[in-house]
Amino acid sequence: MALDSIDKKLLQLIQTDSKQTTKALSNQLNLSVTAVYERIKKLENQGIIRNYVALVSKELVQKNFVTFCHVKLVQHTQEYVVRFEKEVALLPEVLECYHISGDYDYLIKVIVKDMKAFRTFMVEKLTTINHISSTHSMFVINEVKQTHVINVD
């Protein structure tokens, strides 16, 4: 679907603050409330807007130990890939998981309270998934940029 300039601006505004009222959005876009509502519904129905979420402060909920883990599987068979992806998707500590190219097969983003919690996660959860050959973990020292806003221009 081709997005016009108004759809793009609307997506930018919603991504920045999805709690804005339709009236507030209509004022910024110089459209009627009904027109904005219909555009939002169209974007939702077409799957462009998939969900609305609240971004939680990691520090205030004591989950600010962020780790990126490379994971290598024993083999790249369909069975191993499907099984790993299903099992890792069930782990609440894993925020993101990507099947990647290169020396490792997956990159996962893990968030826990501290190093002790990370060790527990590794020993009791991640490494219990069958067919993992090796892992390599990197701990975040400082978050320089983190956004969920996709530039749609």
Side-chain angles (χ1 to χ4, degrees):
M1 175 207 145
L3 299 173
D4 66 18
S5 62
I6 295 172
D7 287 333
K8 290 177 181 179
K9 178 67 175 167
L10 178 58
L11 286 170
Q12 191 72 30
L13 292 169
I14 290 173
Q15 286 184 91
T16 304
D17 180 4
S18 65
K19 285 191 74 172
Q20 293 182 74
T21 64
T22 311
K23 177 142 180 66
L25 292 167
S26 71
N27 288 337
Q28 294 172 78
L29 296 169
N30 294 320
L31 293 174
S32 70
V33 171
T34 302
V36 170
Y37 176 82
E38 288 173 357
R39 282 180 180 265
I40 291 171
K41 283 297 165 201
K42 178 186 74 170
L43 293 167
E44 290 170 348
N45 291 336
Q46 292 177 338
I48 294 171
I49 297 176
R50 295 184 318 182
N51 205 354
Y52 298 91
V53 300
L55 300 178
V56 176
S57 169
K58 293 184 293 291
E59 295 78 16
L60 295 179
V61 297
Q62 298 179 351
K63 298 284 181 148
N64 57 336
F65 191 82
V66 180
T67 307
F68 290 92
C69 298
H70 287 109
V71 176
K72 186 181 290 190
L73 299 182
V74 174
Q75 293 181 342
H76 299 100
T77 65
Q78 181 180 3
E79 175 191 352
Y80 289 4
V81 167
V82 169
R83 185 177 298 162
F84 173 80
E85 290 178 1
K86 283 182 181 177
E87 291 184 42
V88 80
L90 296 174
L91 301 175
E93 297 89 349
V94 175
L95 296 185
E96 300 172 35
C97 178
Y98 302 96
H99 194 174
I100 59 173
S101 64
D103 292 336
Y104 287 87
D105 301 312
Y106 290 91
L107 175 64
I108 61 173
K109 181 178 181 181
V110 177
I111 184 168
V112 292
K113 180 180 180 179
D114 53 22
M115 177 62 85
K116 182 178 178 184
F118 179 71
R119 183 182 189 289
T120 300
F121 166 78
M122 289 297 289
V123 171
E124 297 179 8
K125 293 187 178 184
L126 187 63
T127 58
T128 64
I129 297 175
N130 289 331
H131 315 304
I132 291 179
S133 162
S134 64
T135 63
H136 175 81
S137 301
M138 298 164 290
F139 311 108
V140 172
I141 295 169
N142 183 38
E143 190 174 278
V144 177
K145 179 180 180 180
Q146 190 271 333
T147 185
H148 293 280
V149 177
I150 297 172
N151 185 355
V152 293
D153 282 337

